[in-house]
C-alpha cells in the first residue's frame, strides 16, 4: 500500500482565519445601524443585512422568491421620486468607479441618506457595488425644529423696538434685530462678522470695547449710559443693558446687549434742573422774606428772611413766629395767641393778609405786611408766609400824616407860592401880587400871567369847576381849601392844594383874597404809586397761591390771572390764553366765561390759529407778532385793526401783552373797555403779571413732561428686567434642548448646573419686574422660590430631605441679590448631590441674620459632611470656586464648619450701586 501525506496545517489555518473573518464580518454587518446591500457586477444582490430589510420593509416572501423586478417595483412604490432613484442607480452601474452620496425621500415622510461605492479588489477588478442606507428622518426633523426655533427667536427679537445685538467671545457681531439695523444703517448681513470698530467711530468704539471686556471678565449684568452715533450722523445718549451667555460647557460664549435711547429723558431732566434753578433763584432773590411753616414752626426760609430778622439759618429754623415778636401787638392782642389764630385760619384754606410788629435778634423793631397761604407739599399741608418790611413806608405814612396836620395848623407858612387877588366890577378876580415861585412851578412868565389877569388859566379843564367854586363860595372872613390840577407851560400836570381866605378891603370896599398854593404833586404821585404797587403786589400774591398749587389746572390759573388783570386795570372784558406748542394755535382758556356777550359763531370757540404767513391776524394778534405789549384807546385807528365781525361787542379800548418764556411765545393776556383810558401803568402791571403766568405755564408743562418721562422710565426699566428674564429663560431652554442630544452624564450635569445658575439670575429680574421698587427685591420670597425649585429640579422625594428657610422680610439690591442667589444655588445644589447618599434623610437650612448694616448668610446641612481634603483656599470644584469668587465680589468673609454636617457662613454688607459709564 502506498500513500501520500500532505501537510494541510497552513491551509486549515487559513480556512479557519477566513471563517473567523466571515463570522466577524457577518456580525458587524448585522450589528450596523445602517442598511447595507452588496450587489455583483450585474447588479444582483449577493449580500444584505437585516437592517436593510427592515428599513425598506421588504417581506420575507419577496426575498425568498428572489425576483429582482418585484423587489425593485416594491422599493420604487415607496419613493417620492422613483424616476430619479432609477436614473441614479443606472448611472452608477454604468460608471463603475463613481462614488455617490445623496438623500432619498419616502412618501411616508422618511428620509434616507444613501451612500454607494464600487468594490475593487487588489488587482483593480470591479466586483460589484456596496450600498449604505442611513435613516436621517429624526435628524432632519430636529434640524427643521432648530431652524424654525431660530426663525421664531429672530422674529421675537425683531419685534423688540429697541436695538438689540449679540456678539461671540471674540467680540464679533453674530446677530441683531431690525431696530439695530436701522440704528447702524447697515443690513444684518453687513453687520454679522464685524466688530464695533468696523461700524462706530474709534473714540466711541474704544469705550464700547472696554465695557465689553469688563463684562466678559466680571460676568455681571452691565447697565451704563454712553453716547452713540446714529446712522444719520446725529449723536444721542443711550442706556446700555448687557449680559453674557454661556456655551454647553459653562464657558462664556458671548454677550447680549439692549440699547434704549434716553436722549429725550436727559433733555427733560436738564430742563427740569434749569426750571428748578429758576424757581430757586426766584425764591432766593425775592425782595420779600419767604418762610415755610409746619406745626407752627419755621422749616425753610430764603436769604432775604435771614437778613430781615438779622439771624442765621440755625437761629430761626425750628422756632415759632412769635419768638420774633413783642408780647403785644399794636392792637393789644397777644402775639402768640394771635399768630396761632391766623395760622389756623390759613390751614383751613383761608389766606390771611395782615400787618405785624416784629423784633429782630438784636432787639430792633420793624413792621411788616404778612401773607399766609396754605400749600400742599408731598401730601401734607404747610403754611407759606410772605413777609414784606414796611417800616420805611410806615414812617413815610406817619410823616405824611404829620405833614398834613402841620399844614392845617400853620397854613401859609409852608405854601409853595403865595398870592393875592381882588374882585373886579364884573365879578372876576385878577392877581395884584404873587411870589416868583409861581413862575418856577408853572413855567409861565409875568407877561403871560398879566394877559390872563388871574393864574386860574393854568387849571386843568376837568378841575375848572372845583377851582372856580372855591373862589365864588368865599366870603369876607371865611377860608377854604381845595385840591385840583394845573397844567404847566410844558403840558405837565401838577397837583395843588389851594388855601384861600376872604378879607374885606375897607378902603376900596371890595373883597380881597389871600391865598397860598402848595405843590403836592410828588406826594400825590408817591401815594398813587404806593397804592398802585400795593394793588399789584396784592394781585400777584393772590395769583401766586393757585400758581404753585399742585391741584391747580392751567384754566384755574388763567381765570385767576384774568380776574386780577381786569381788577387792576378797570377792564370790563378780556381773555387769557396759551400758545399750543404743537401747531401755534392761540388757545383761550377763559373765553366762554368772560366774553358772554360775544355772539361770534366759531367752530371752535377757544382756539384761534395763526395765518398761512405765520402771523396772527387783526388787533388781537399784534402783540403776539411783535412780542411787545401795547395799548390803544382808539382801536379803530390802530395799524393792525381789521374791523369787527358781526355781533361782536363794541371795542372802546384795548390792551395786550404777550407771555414770553425765554425767546418762546407761550401765551397772551388781553383786556378791553376799561373804565379809564389805558396808560403805561396798566401796561407795566400786565407785564409783571405775565411774568408770573409764564412761570406757571412753564411749571405745568414741565410737570406734565416729568410725569410722562418718569412713567416711561419705570416702564422701560420693567421691560428691561422682563426681557432680560425672558432671554435667560431662552438660554435655559436651549441648554435643556442641548441636554437631549448628549449622552454623557457629566455633560448633562454641567448643563443642568448652568441652567440652575441662569435661573437664579433670571429670578432676580423676575422679582424686580414684579416689584413696586425697581431697585430692590423681597429676598425672602426669592430664596424660598430658589430653594424649592432646586429640590424639584433634583427630584428630591418628599419626607426625605427637608428645606428649612429662616429669615425675615428683607429688601436687597440687584447688585447684592444676584451673587448671593448664585452662592445659595451652588451650596444647596452641592448638599442635595452629596450630603445625603443612599437615600439618607436630613435637613438643609438657609438663614439670613442682620446686625446693624451687616448680614450673615448661613447654608448648612446635617448630612455626611464635606470631605476634609477640600480646602477653601485651594478649590478644584467649579461650584465651590464660583462660591469663593462670588464671596470675594461681595467683600464677604466665608467660613466652613465640618463638625456637624456642613456649615457655610458668609458675613457681608450690602453692595452699593456702582455708577455706570457717563
Amino acid at each position: 500500500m502506498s500513500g501520500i501525506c500532505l501537510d494541510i496545517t497552513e491551509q486549515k489555518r487559513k480556512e479557519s482565519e477566513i471563517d473567523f473573518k466571515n463570522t466577524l464580518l457577518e456580525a458587524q454587518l448585522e450589528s450596523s445601524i445602517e442598511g447595507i446591500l452588496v450587489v455583483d457586477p450585474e447588479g444582483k444582490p449577493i449580500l444584505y443585512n437585516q437592517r436593510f430589510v427592515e428599513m425598506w420593509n421588504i417581506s420575507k416572501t419577496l426575498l425568498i422568491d428572489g425576483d429582482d423586478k418585484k423587489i425593485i417595483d416594491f422599493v420604487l412604490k415607496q419613493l417620492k421620486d422613483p424616476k430619479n432613484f432609477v436614473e441614479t442607480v443606472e448611472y452608477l452601474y454604468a460608471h463603475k468607479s463613481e462614488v455617490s452620496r445623496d438623500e432619498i425621500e419616502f412618501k411616508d415622510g422618511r428620509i434616507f441618506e444613501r451612500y454607494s461605492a464600487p468594490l475593487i479588489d487588489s488587482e483593480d477588478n470591479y466586483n460589484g457595488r456596496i450600498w449604505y442606507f442611513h435613516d436621517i428622518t429624526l435628524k432632519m426633523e430636529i434640524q427643521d425644529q432648530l431652524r424654525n426655533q431660530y426663525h421664531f427667536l429672530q422674529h421675537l427679537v425683531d419685534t423688540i423696538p429697541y436695538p438689540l445685538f449679540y456678539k461671540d467671545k471674540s467680540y464679533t457681531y453674530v446677530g441683531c434685530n431690525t431696530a439695530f439695523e436701522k440704528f447702524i444703517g447697515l443690513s444684518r448681513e453687513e453687520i454679522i462678522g464685524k466688530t464695533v470698530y468696523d461700524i462706530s467711530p474709534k473714540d466711541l468704539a474704544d469705550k464700547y470695547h472696554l465695557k465689553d471686556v469688563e463684562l466678559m471678565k466680571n460676568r455681571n449684568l452691565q447697565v451704563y449710559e454712553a453716547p452713540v452715533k446714529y446712522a444719520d450722523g446725529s449723536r444721542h445718549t443711550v442706556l446700555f443693558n448687557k449680559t453674557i451667555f454661556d456655551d454647553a460647557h459653562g464657558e462664556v460664549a458671548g454677550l447680549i446687549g439692549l440699547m434704549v435711547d434716553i436722549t429725550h429723558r436727559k433733555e427733560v431732566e436738564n430742563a427740569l434742573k434749569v426750571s428748578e434753578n429758576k424757581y430757586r433763584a426766584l425764591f432766593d432773590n425775592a425782595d420779600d422774606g419767604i418762610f415755610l411753616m409746619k406745626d407752627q414752626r419755621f422749616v425753610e426760609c430764603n436769604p432775604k428772611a435771614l437778613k430781615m430778622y438779622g439771624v442765621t439759618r440755625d437761629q430761626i429754623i425750628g422756632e415759632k413766629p412769635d419768638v420774633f415778636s413783642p408780647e403785644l401787638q399794636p392792637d393789644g392782642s397777644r402775639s402768640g395767641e394771635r399768630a396761632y389764630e391766623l395760622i389756623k385760619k390759613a390751614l383751613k384754606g383761608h389766606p390771611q393778609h395782615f400787618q405785624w410788629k416784629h423784633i429782630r435778634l438784636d432787639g430792633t423793631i420793624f413792621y411788616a405786611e404778612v401773607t399766609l397761604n396754605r400749600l400742599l407739599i408731598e401730601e401734607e399741608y404747610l403754611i407759606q408766609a410772605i413777609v414784606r418790611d414796611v417800616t420805611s413806608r410806615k414812617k413815610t405814612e406817619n410823616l405824611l400824616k404829620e405833614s398834613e396836620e402841620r399844614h392845617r395848623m400853620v397854613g401859609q407858612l409852608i405854601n409853595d407860592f403865595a398870592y393875592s387877588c381882588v374882585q373886579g366890577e364884573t365879578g372876576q378876580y385878577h392877581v395884584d401880587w404873587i411870589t416868583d415861585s409861581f413862575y418856577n412851578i408853572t413855567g409861565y412868565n409875568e407877561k403871560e400871567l398879566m394877559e390872563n389877569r388871574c393864574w386860574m388859566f393854568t387849571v386843568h379843564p376837568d378841575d375848572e369847576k372845583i377851582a372856580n367854586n372855591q373862589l365864588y363860595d368865599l366870603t369876607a372872613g371865611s377860608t377854604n381849601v381845595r385840591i385840583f390840577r394845573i397844567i404847566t407851560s410844558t403840558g405837565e400836570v401838577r397837583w395843588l392844594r389851594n388855601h384861600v381866605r376872604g378879607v374885606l378891603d375897607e378902603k376900596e370896599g371890595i373883597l380881597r383874597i389871600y391865598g397860598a398854593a402848595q405843590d403836592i404833586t410828588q406826594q400825590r404821585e408817591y401815594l398813587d404809586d404806593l397804592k398802585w404797587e400795593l394793588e399789584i403786589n396784592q394781585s400777584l400774591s393772590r395769583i401766586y397761591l393757585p400758581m404753585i398749587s399742585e391741584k391747580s389746572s392751567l384754566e384755574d390759573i388763567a381765570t385767576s390771572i384774568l380776574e386780577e388783570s381786569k381788577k387792576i386795570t378797570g377792564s370790563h372784558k378780556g381773555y387769557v390764553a396759551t400758545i399750543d406748542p404743537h401747531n401755534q394755535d392761540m388757545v383761550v382758556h377763559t373765553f366762554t366765561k368772560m366774553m358772554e356777550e360775544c355772539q361770534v359763531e366759531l367752530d371752535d370757540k377757544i382756539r384761534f390759529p395763526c395765518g398761512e404767513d405765520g402771523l396772527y391776524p387783526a388787533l388781537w394778534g399784534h402783540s403776539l407778532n411783535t412780542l411787545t405789549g401795547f395799548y390803544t384807546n382808539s382801536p379803530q385807528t390802530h395799524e393792525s385793526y381789521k374791523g369787527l365781525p358781526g355781533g361782536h361787542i363794541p371795542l372802546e379800548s384795548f390792551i395786550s401783552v404777550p407771555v414770553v418764556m425765554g425767546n418762546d411765545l407761550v401765551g397772551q393776556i388781553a383786556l378791553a373797555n376799561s373804565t379809564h383810558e389805558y396808560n403805561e401803568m396798566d401796561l407795566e402791571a400786565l407785564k409783571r403779571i405775565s411774568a408770573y403766568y409764564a412761570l406757571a405755564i412753564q411749571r405745568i408743562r414741565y410737570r406734565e413732561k416729568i410725569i410722562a418721562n418718569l412713567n416711561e422710565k419705570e416702564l422701560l426699566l420693567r421691560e428691561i428686567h422682563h426681557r432680560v428674564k425672558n432671554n435667560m429663560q431662552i438660554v435655559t431652554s436651549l441648554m435643556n434642548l442641548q441636554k437631549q442630544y448628549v449622552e454623557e452624564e457629566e455633560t448633562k450635569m454641567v448643563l443642568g448646573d448652568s441652567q440652575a445658575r441662569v435661573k437664579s439670575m433670571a429670578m432676580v429680574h423676575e422679582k424686580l419686574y414684579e416689584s413696586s421698587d425697581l431697585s430692590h427685591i423681597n429676598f425672602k420670597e426669592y430664596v424660598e422660590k430658589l430653594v424649592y425649585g432646586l429640590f424639584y429640579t433634583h427630584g428630591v422625594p418628599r419626607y426625605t430631605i427637608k428645606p428649612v428657610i429662616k429669615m425675615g422680610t428683607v429688601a436687597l439690591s440687584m447688585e447684592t441679590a444676584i451673587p448671593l442667589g448664585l452662592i445659595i444655588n451652588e451650596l444647596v445644589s452641592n448638599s442635595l448631590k452629596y450630603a445625603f447618599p443612599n437615600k439618607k434623610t436630613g435637613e438643609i437650612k438657609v438663614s439670613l441674620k442682620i446686625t446693624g448694616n451687616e448680614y450673615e448668610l448661613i447654608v448648612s446641612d446635617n448630612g455626611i459632611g464635606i470631605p476634609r481634603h477640600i480646602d477653601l483656599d485651594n478649590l478644584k470644584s467649579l461650584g465651590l470656586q464660583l462660591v469663593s469668587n462670588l464671596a470675594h465680589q461681595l467683600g464677604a468673609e466665608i467660613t466652613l464648619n465640618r463638625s456637624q454636617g456642613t456649615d457655610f457662613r458668609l458675613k457681608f454688607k450690602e453692595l452699593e450701586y456702582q455708577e455706570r459709564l457717563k
Side-chain angles (χ1 to χ4, degrees):
M1 183 178 67
S2 64
I4 300 174
C5 295
L6 297 176
D7 187 352
I8 59 173
T9 303
E10 182 64 24
Q11 180 182 345
K12 286 294 185 181
R13 186 185 65 78
K14 290 183 178 181
E15 289 176 354
S16 177
E17 183 177 338
I18 291 171
D19 289 341
F20 173 75
K21 289 182 177 180
N22 288 335
T23 302
L24 181 61
L25 177 62
E26 185 176 352
Q28 291 177 340
L29 188 67
E30 293 301 328
S31 64
S32 174
I33 63 172
E34 297 175 332
I36 301 174
L37 171 67
V38 181
V39 299
D40 62 16
E42 285 73 33
K44 299 289 185 179
I46 58 175
L47 182 64
Y48 53 85
N49 64 355
Q50 185 60 31
R51 177 61 178 158
F52 170 78
V53 175
E54 293 171 354
M55 290 175 68
W56 288 92
N57 297 319
I58 301 175
S59 66
K60 291 183 179 180
T61 304
L62 284 175
L63 291 172
I64 295 172
D65 187 34
D67 189 332
D68 294 341
K69 185 176 184 306
K70 290 182 178 181
I71 292 174
I72 291 173
D73 289 342
F74 177 78
V75 167
L76 293 178
K77 288 178 180 180
Q78 301 181 60
L79 303 179
K80 280 188 176 181
D81 190 358
K83 180 179 179 182
N84 181 64
F85 181 88
V86 172
E87 290 175 352
T88 301
V89 172
E90 291 176 350
Y91 174 81
L92 292 175
Y93 284 164
H95 300 78
K96 298 179 179 180
S97 61
E98 291 282 346
V99 176
S100 172
R101 185 184 299 274
D102 62 351
E103 293 177 1
I104 307 172
E105 294 188 42
F106 285 72
K107 293 177 180 179
D108 60 7
R110 290 179 298 152
I111 301 175
F112 288 175
E113 183 179 54
R114 176 174 62 176
Y115 173 77
S116 178
L119 297 175
I120 308 297
D121 60 17
S122 58
E123 296 179 358
D124 292 333
N125 294 317
Y126 175 72
N127 295 318
R129 180 173 288 274
I130 186 168
W131 299 85
Y132 291 91
F133 300 94
H134 182 64
D135 191 339
I136 60 172
T137 306
L138 180 60
K139 174 184 175 183
M140 296 302 289
E141 289 176 352
I142 292 173
Q143 287 180 351
D144 287 342
Q145 290 176 1
L146 290 175
R147 191 178 300 108
N148 291 337
Q149 187 175 29
Y150 169 78
H151 289 306
F152 170 75
L153 292 177
Q154 186 62 50
H155 177 72
L156 182 64
V157 299
D158 281 341
T159 61
I160 298 175
Y162 307 109
L164 183 143
F165 61 86
Y166 35 101
K167 304 178 183 179
D168 59 21
K169 61 184 178 181
S170 64
Y171 309 107
T172 300
Y173 289 101
V174 293
C176 65
N177 66 353
T178 303
F180 189 78
E181 292 181 89
K182 293 179 180 178
F183 154 65
I184 294 297
L186 299 173
S187 67
R188 187 176 289 120
E189 290 74 17
E190 293 173 314
I191 295 171
I192 293 175
K194 302 287 182 63
T195 70
V196 69
Y197 286 97
D198 298 320
I199 62 177
S200 298
K202 187 177 184 306
D203 60 328
L204 298 180
D206 287 338
K207 293 181 180 180
Y208 303 153
H209 183 67
L210 183 63
K211 297 302 291 185
D212 287 349
V213 172
E214 178 184 324
L215 175 63
M216 292 287 196
K217 180 180 179 182
N218 297 331
R219 300 169 64 95
N220 291 332
L221 176 67
Q222 194 179 70
V223 182
Y224 61 92
E225 295 177 11
V228 299
K229 185 177 181 181
Y230 276 25
D232 61 4
S234 61
R235 293 211 173 200
H236 295 247
T237 302
V238 165
L239 181 68
F240 282 89
N241 295 268
K242 298 193 297 189
T243 186
I244 56 99
F245 60 89
D246 295 338
D247 59 16
H249 304 291
E251 300 294 333
V252 175
L255 62 87
I256 301 173
L258 181 73
M259 303 164 61
V260 181
D261 192 333
I262 59 172
T263 306
H264 180 64
R265 189 194 78 189
K266 299 292 285 187
E267 291 174 350
V268 172
E269 289 175 352
N270 291 334
L272 176 60
K273 289 180 181 178
V274 172
S275 178
E276 289 175 348
N277 290 336
K278 287 182 179 178
Y279 277 107
R280 192 71 208 180
L282 181 65
F283 181 76
D284 289 343
N285 297 296
D287 289 335
D288 298 328
I290 303 176
F291 295 93
L292 285 180
M293 286 188 289
K294 178 180 178 182
D295 299 329
Q296 300 186 57
R297 295 186 182 274
F298 296 125
V299 295
E300 182 61 276
C301 66
N302 66 348
K304 180 67 176 181
L306 299 178
K307 184 178 180 181
M308 187 180 294
Y309 284 82
V311 294
T312 64
R313 183 179 176 80
D314 294 338
Q315 291 171 327
I316 199 168
I317 298 301
E319 296 289 348
K320 289 187 176 182
D322 56 283
V323 172
F324 298 93
S325 305
E327 183 178 357
L328 299 177
Q329 287 297 309
D331 62 358
S333 62
R334 293 189 175 278
S335 295
E337 295 174 358
R338 181 61 177 154
Y340 175 74
E341 292 175 1
L342 293 167
I343 292 173
K344 188 176 179 181
K345 290 180 181 178
L347 280 173
K348 291 181 178 179
H350 306 294
Q352 301 295 307
H353 185 78
F354 53 90
Q355 287 196 353
W356 196 261
K357 185 178 180 180
H358 294 270
I359 300 178
R360 295 188 177 90
L361 189 64
D362 61 6
T364 59
I365 298 292
F366 73 98
Y367 294 87
E369 284 185 349
V370 181
T371 301
L372 300 182
N373 292 304
R374 184 180 71 176
L375 301 181
L376 180 62
I377 300 178
E378 296 183 354
E379 299 185 356
E380 66 175 339
Y381 286 114
L382 300 182
I383 291 296
Q384 179 202 53
I386 301 176
V387 181
R388 171 166 293 182
D389 188 343
V390 296
T391 305
S392 298
R393 192 182 80 190
K394 200 165 187 66
K395 289 180 180 178
T396 301
E397 290 174 351
N398 292 335
L399 287 174
L400 285 173
K401 290 180 181 179
E402 293 175 2
S403 177
E404 290 174 357
E405 184 65 23
R406 195 177 298 118
H407 289 170
R408 285 193 294 270
M409 293 175 63
V410 301
Q412 297 178 355
L413 296 177
I414 59 171
N415 290 340
D416 287 296
F417 69 87
Y419 63 91
S420 72
C421 58
V422 295
Q423 192 174 34
E425 294 179 357
T426 61
Q428 303 240 344
Y429 289 90
H430 63 271
V431 172
D432 63 355
W433 171 79
I434 195 167
T435 60
D436 290 342
S437 56
F438 166 79
Y439 305 116
N440 297 330
I441 292 172
T442 64
Y444 291 104
N445 55 41
E446 185 176 0
K447 179 182 178 182
E448 290 171 317
L449 175 62
M450 292 300 103
E451 288 175 353
N452 289 280
R453 301 180 62 84
C454 184
W455 66 269
M456 288 295 175
F457 76 92
T458 63
V459 175
H460 192 287
D462 294 342
D463 294 347
E464 286 181 355
K465 186 176 181 180
I466 298 174
N468 291 331
N469 288 342
Q470 182 185 23
L471 300 180
Y472 294 146
D473 294 342
L474 198 63
T475 60
S478 66
T479 62
N480 62 45
V481 180
R482 296 289 186 272
I483 295 175
F484 50 81
R485 292 167 291 176
I486 65 170
I487 301 176
T488 68
S489 62
T490 59
E492 180 184 2
V493 176
R494 303 190 72 82
W495 285 87
L496 296 182
R497 181 184 284 114
N498 193 34
H499 299 251
V500 295
R501 171 176 294 180
V503 177
L504 183 60
D505 189 335
E506 295 180 355
K507 181 180 180 181
E508 297 185 8
I510 58 174
L511 186 65
R512 181 178 292 276
I513 295 177
Y514 291 97
Q518 179 189 6
D519 187 350
I520 61 169
T521 304
Q522 289 185 342
Q523 295 176 17
R524 289 285 300 205
E525 289 178 349
Y526 177 79
L527 290 174
D528 289 343
D529 289 347
L530 196 62
K531 181 181 178 182
W532 179 79
E533 184 68 27
L534 179 60
E535 290 176 354
I536 286 289
N537 288 327
Q538 287 177 339
S539 292
L540 293 178
S541 67
R542 288 190 289 269
I543 292 169
Y544 187 71
L545 181 59
M547 188 182 85
I548 63 174
S549 174
E550 291 295 327
K551 294 183 178 180
S552 294
S553 66
L554 199 55
E555 286 72 17
D556 296 331
I557 296 171
T559 300
S560 177
I561 294 280
L562 180 60
E563 287 299 321
E564 296 302 328
S565 299
K566 287 169 59 181
K567 186 183 303 180
I568 205 165
T569 61
S571 300
H572 287 299
K573 299 296 177 182
Y575 63 83
V576 175
T578 57
I579 302 300
D580 190 325
H582 302 293
N583 56 22
Q584 300 303 302
D585 283 359
M586 184 185 75
V587 182
V588 180
H589 298 282
T590 57
F591 180 79
T592 54
K593 289 183 179 180
M594 311 321 315
M595 299 291 282
E596 299 90 350
E597 297 173 15
C598 182
Q599 301 301 317
V600 178
E601 295 295 329
L602 299 171
D603 293 335
D604 184 352
K605 292 188 178 181
I606 63 169
R607 186 175 290 271
F608 296 90
C610 59
E612 295 181 357
D613 57 357
L615 299 177
Y616 296 94
L619 191 65
W620 64 268
H622 182 70
S623 65
L624 301 179
N625 297 330
T626 61
L627 295 182
T628 304
F630 81 103
Y631 64 87
T632 173
N633 294 305
S634 178
Q636 292 76 13
T637 62
H638 194 271
E639 62 183 272
S640 63
Y641 184 77
K642 303 296 183 183
L644 298 174
H648 199 284
I649 61 172
L651 199 60
E652 300 165 1
S653 56
F654 185 81
I655 186 169
S656 171
V657 293
V659 182
V660 180
M661 189 166 58
N663 294 322
D664 297 329
L665 176 66
V666 297
Q668 182 186 27
I669 301 173
L671 305 170
N673 299 355
S674 174
T675 55
H676 62 267
E677 290 189 344
Y678 288 122
N679 53 47
E680 290 296 327
M681 294 178 69
D682 295 325
L683 190 60
E684 179 62 26
L686 288 187
K687 287 180 180 178
R688 291 175 63 176
I689 292 174
S690 73
Y692 268 55
Y693 189 33
L695 289 175
I697 295 172
Q698 182 186 50
R699 176 177 173 273
I700 287 179
R701 288 183 179 176
Y702 279 152
R703 182 178 66 187
E704 293 171 351
K705 287 183 180 179
I706 290 165
I707 291 172
N709 279 278
L710 286 176
N711 291 337
E712 181 184 9
K713 177 182 178 182
E714 182 174 343
L715 288 174
L716 287 176
L717 287 175
R718 290 187 186 279
E719 184 66 11
I720 289 167
H721 288 303
H722 183 59
R723 292 189 182 279
V724 170
K725 184 261 295 183
N726 286 347
N727 287 337
M728 288 183 171
Q729 286 182 340
I730 291 172
V731 172
T732 58
S733 298
L734 292 174
M735 290 180 178
N736 193 49
L737 184 64
Q738 187 66 39
K739 283 168 62 177
Q740 299 178 18
Y741 297 99
V742 296
E743 297 180 355
E744 295 81 6
E745 289 301 317
E746 181 178 356
T747 302
K748 289 183 177 181
M749 185 179 297
V750 169
L751 287 172
D753 290 343
S754 297
Q755 278 183 289
R757 291 163 188 153
V758 174
K759 284 181 179 178
S760 73
M761 292 187 289
M763 283 169 57
V764 172
H765 291 281
E766 182 180 15
K767 288 293 180 185
L768 286 171
Y769 171 73
E770 297 171 349
S771 174
S772 60
D773 180 0
L774 295 176
S775 61
H776 292 78
I777 68 169
N778 186 322
F779 193 67
K780 180 182 178 182
E781 293 180 358
Y782 168 69
V783 171
E784 288 175 345
K785 186 173 181 180
L786 175 62
V787 172
Y788 293 146
L790 289 172
F791 270 64
Y792 175 82
T793 301
H794 286 272
V796 178
R798 298 181 63 187
Y799 311 116
T800 56
I801 304 174
K802 180 182 178 183
V804 179
I805 299 173
K806 292 184 177 181
M807 62 180 69
T809 301
V810 59
L812 292 180
S813 66
M814 180 177 67
E815 281 81 2
T816 303
I818 287 181
L820 211 57
L822 287 171
I823 290 173
I824 295 172
N825 176 80
E826 296 301 325
L827 295 180
V828 172
S829 296
N830 204 50
S831 295
L832 290 173
K833 289 179 183 177
Y834 307 114
F836 305 98
N838 302 321
K839 298 183 179 180
K840 185 178 178 181
T841 61
E843 289 184 347
I844 297 177
K845 295 182 180 179
V846 180
S847 65
L848 185 67
K849 297 180 180 179
I850 306 174
T851 305
N853 64 345
E854 190 173 66
Y855 298 79
E856 183 180 33
L857 174 69
I858 304 172
V859 182
S860 63
D861 64 63
N862 57 0
I864 61 174
I866 197 167
R868 293 286 176 183
H869 67 273
I870 292 180
D871 182 4
L872 288 179
D873 296 326
N874 188 19
L875 295 170
K876 295 183 179 179
S877 164
L878 175 61
L880 292 180
Q881 283 182 0
L882 181 59
V883 170
S884 179
N885 291 338
L886 292 170
H888 177 73
Q889 178 182 327
L890 284 169
E893 299 175 7
I894 182 169
T895 58
L896 171 61
N897 187 348
R898 300 182 176 90
S899 61
Q900 294 181 348
T902 301
D903 185 311
F904 281 91
R905 294 172 182 259
L906 288 89
K907 289 186 177 181
F908 63 94
K909 294 181 180 179
E910 186 175 11
L911 294 178
E912 295 183 358
Y913 175 80
Q914 298 296 318
E915 190 171 2
R916 314 305 189 200
L917 178 67
K918 293 186 184 235

